[in-house]
Amino acid sequence: MKLLLIGPPGGGKGTQAKFLVSDFNIPQISTGDMLRENVQNSTDLGTQAKEFMQSGNLVPDSIILEMMKNRLLGQDCLNGYILDGFPRTITQAEGLDILLSKMNHKLNFVIVIDVKDEIIIKRLSNRRSCNNCNRVYNLIFDPPLDKEKCNDCGNNLFLRDDDNPKTIQKRLDVFHSQTKPLIDYYQKQGIVKTIDASDTIEEIKADIKRKLAS
Ligand code: AP5
């Protein structure tokens, strides 16, 4: 199964991707997580990406496409993957089409996470992430047992640098102007499943399952 999740920042792409990983036993490929790891490890790529991420802008297409070209060649991608946060521009989508055709792969479905901006702001300002295992919580909607520690590994939880009101707004603007046009791009391929993501995490999970089976 080869899936792509498109949705606004904080829409719940990562949260739902984790469920799909266990349902289909395929990897989640999150460009955001890959970039953050590079920033944390101060790699060349991380140094190039850092400023764009902190300001809420997109990292240049050429950097992202090079990174994804290598990632999709991984052995763990042979049976499928969940693309989370890539592509984000038409140029990236065209680049992905080229990569997929070289690999003889085809996307099965594009899941569009549809949720209003007001809901996003509340979700993101209460998000906490584990700095070790990457598990994501929400202090209101999906709280950890201890608000400072990860339930799974006990490491400290942190608020992402880009989860501040100014950067959230910028990320939303970038989503509307640069990423939303991808919905039309994939509608034309007839593979889009739209999910109302204003419901609870469990309801969305069930809706995705239903729509992928129909
Ligand atoms: P990235 O890490 O991809 O961030 P994003 O797209 O802004 O998405 P998020 O990770 O913030 O949100 P999400 O949709 O995964 O939501 P989550 O499940 O965590 O990218 C970061 C930056 O990297 C970009 O700004 C850009 O600079 C760069 N970048 C990345 N990819 C790029 C690319 N392809 N090209 C160029 N640049 C790129 O949920 C959010 C919160 O809500 C959590 O607390 C969660 O618990 C909670 N929640 C989830 N679902 C629900 C629900 N139904 N009800 C209540 N709470 C919920």
Side-chain angles (χ1 to χ4, degrees):
M1 180 69 93
K2 293 157 193 91
L3 298 172
L4 158 57
L5 287 165
I6 297 181
K13 302 181 295 297
T15 302
Q16 296 301 328
K18 298 279 186 288
F19 298 130
L20 293 165
V21 165
S22 58
D23 285 352
F24 292 106
N25 198 21
I26 48 176
Q28 169 195 11
I29 302 183
S30 157
T31 39
D33 285 347
M34 291 165 77
L35 291 167
R36 274 185 292 281
E37 198 180 320
N38 275 280
V39 170
Q40 203 173 0
N41 295 332
S42 304
T43 65
D44 283 351
L45 195 157
T47 310
Q48 290 175 64
K50 191 173 177 177
E51 241 176 74
F52 295 103
M53 295 173 77
Q54 279 179 343
S55 62
N57 282 300
L58 294 181
V59 174
D61 292 332
S62 54
I63 296 179
I64 299 291
L65 284 168
E66 187 59 28
M67 183 174 87
M68 285 305 289
K69 186 174 87 187
N70 297 327
R71 180 63 187 90
L72 285 171
L73 290 174
Q75 282 296 310
D76 61 339
C77 292
L78 289 175
N79 293 326
Y81 31 79
I82 300 147
L83 300 178
D84 165 8
F86 168 84
R88 261 171 148 101
T89 63
I90 295 289
T91 304
Q92 289 183 22
E94 291 167 347
L96 174 63
D97 282 346
I98 295 170
L99 290 178
L100 292 177
S101 78
K102 279 186 187 157
M103 294 164 71
N104 224 0
H105 284 190
K106 215 169 175 302
L107 291 176
N108 297 93
F109 297 111
V110 172
I111 301 171
V112 172
I113 304 262
D114 186 25
V115 58
K116 289 198 170 58
D117 290 5
E118 306 83 83
I119 296 182
I120 300 287
I121 292 165
K122 192 164 180 194
R123 285 187 189 170
L124 283 184
S125 36
N126 290 291
R127 171 165 61 184
R128 295 295 181 274
S129 311
C130 174
N131 65 4
N132 177 46
C133 71
N134 282 341
R135 180 164 170 187
V136 170
Y137 299 87
N138 192 285
L139 295 182
I140 299 176
F141 305 108
D142 183 20
L145 298 170
D146 170 337
K147 72 177 175 22
E148 290 177 2
K149 303 263 180 227
C150 177
N151 294 355
D152 290 348
C153 67
N155 263 64
N156 289 336
L157 300 178
F158 71 100
L159 176 68
R160 266 170 49 177
D161 281 352
D162 56 353
D163 282 348
N164 64 74
K166 188 170 163 226
T167 313
I168 293 171
Q169 191 52 57
K170 177 68 189 171
R171 286 157 66 202
L172 281 168
D173 294 344
V174 166
F175 171 75
H176 289 296
S177 61
Q178 299 194 54
T179 306
K180 246 183 157 176
L182 291 182
I183 300 173
D184 258 4
Y185 183 90
Y186 288 111
Q187 290 277 18
K188 288 183 188 136
Q189 300 182 17
I191 52 174
V192 170
K193 304 275 181 188
T194 303
I195 306 292
D196 174 2
S198 48
D199 291 334
T200 65
I201 292 173
E202 286 302 318
E203 282 166 332
I204 296 166
K205 177 183 168 188
D207 195 24
I208 291 179
K209 211 167 187 172
R210 245 189 329 267
K211 289 202 167 132
L212 291 186
S214 66

